[in-house]
Amino acid sequence: MNNLENIKIAIIGLGYVGLPLAVEFGKLYDTQGFDINEDRINELKKGFDRTQEVEPELLAEADKLKFSKNIEDLKSSNIYIVTVPTPIDKNKTPDLSPLRSASKMLAQVIGKDDIVIYESTVYPGLTEDICIPILEKESGLTFGKDFTVGYSPERLSPGDSNHTLTKIMKIVSGSDEDTLNLCAELYSSIIPAGVHKAS
């Protein structure tokens, strides 16, 4: 997969990071917005965002975006973007259970040549140490041969209407050069502020 013509995107987690991303991609590409919260999905299908990150008219503009809580609906995607929260507990330790759950779930649907991009805020090395082993173990696929991984840390603050997704330069990296280039091209297509490739 070396161009953006045939991509189908799945956004996992539709909070203040995932929903704006799903809306921007949904203007250009077949995009599936996935969340385990059924109320959230039903509200979004009706054009209502309770977080008020996305205006109803912007939701309506994303005419290639569909919402679902059904994992089966993700199977036709070939790029999966994980935007689940990583809250910290009282000891200031990140709670990785949403990330583990999302990785485990994605392992059921990813296929050969797919790319999984992690946007959730995590410490360096976590993707390699925790997420990739889960993807490999649960899917039976081999990282680097059957699927690759990208990383693009989210840089949004909830409720900040000045520094929105399209106005902040995006940092991207990938597990190999092709993945890095595809991630850069993908995000560049929705972010006028530009993309910075990190090693």
Side-chain angles (χ1 to χ4, degrees):
M1 186 172 45
N2 53 6
N3 63 25
L4 301 181
E5 265 173 51
N6 303 313
I7 66 162
K8 293 187 173 183
I9 300 170
I11 309 285
I12 314 303
L14 296 172
Y16 77 90
V17 174
L19 182 61
L21 203 59
V23 165
E24 290 304 322
F25 281 132
K27 294 174 186 176
L28 299 175
Y29 310 107
D30 286 336
T31 303
Q32 193 69 245
F34 177 90
D35 202 286
I36 54 174
N37 182 331
E38 189 168 3
D39 290 340
R40 176 81 169 139
I41 292 296
N42 290 336
E43 287 174 1
L44 289 169
K45 282 181 175 176
K46 291 174 186 159
F48 171 67
D49 170 26
R50 73 170 74 164
T51 67
Q52 299 182 331
E53 290 291 327
V54 177
E55 302 294 325
E57 55 272 19
L58 286 175
L59 267 176
E61 280 177 26
D63 56 356
K64 295 185 172 199
L65 172 60
K66 294 183 173 73
F67 296 108
S68 178
K69 68 170 203 62
N70 182 354
I71 185 172
E72 291 296 312
D73 292 336
L74 301 177
K75 286 189 169 171
S76 64
S77 304
N78 44 31
I79 293 182
Y80 298 87
I81 303 178
V82 179
T83 63
V84 298
T86 44
I88 52 173
D89 63 21
K90 61 181 188 299
N91 303 320
K92 302 271 191 283
T93 309
D95 174 5
L96 302 177
S97 51
L99 212 49
R100 290 178 199 271
S101 297
S103 298
K104 211 167 184 174
M105 183 200 75
L106 280 181
Q108 298 171 45
V109 295
I110 61 170
K112 186 127 174 72
D113 299 329
D114 287 353
I115 298 173
V116 180
I117 300 171
Y118 286 93
E119 278 217 21
S120 301
T121 308
V122 293
Y123 52 82
L126 185 135
T127 309
E128 290 84 353
D129 296 345
I130 291 179
C131 301
I132 291 170
I134 292 173
L135 289 171
E136 283 194 309
K137 178 174 179 272
E138 302 287 332
S139 69
L141 299 173
T142 303
F143 168 63
K145 181 166 83 83
D146 299 321
F147 72 95
T148 58
V149 167
Y151 183 54
S152 181
E154 56 93 355
R155 305 176 72 210
L156 300 174
S157 296
D160 184 341
S161 55
N162 295 320
H163 302 94
T164 54
L165 173 68
T166 57
K167 294 178 186 161
I168 304 174
M169 180 176 274
K170 201 84 170 90
I171 297 168
V172 296
S173 68
S175 54
D176 60 36
E177 197 170 347
D178 286 346
T179 304
L180 169 61
N181 291 335
L182 189 113
C183 288
E185 192 182 346
L186 180 65
Y187 282 102
S188 293
S189 69
I190 63 161
I191 298 178
V195 167
H196 172 74
K197 293 181 183 180
S199 57

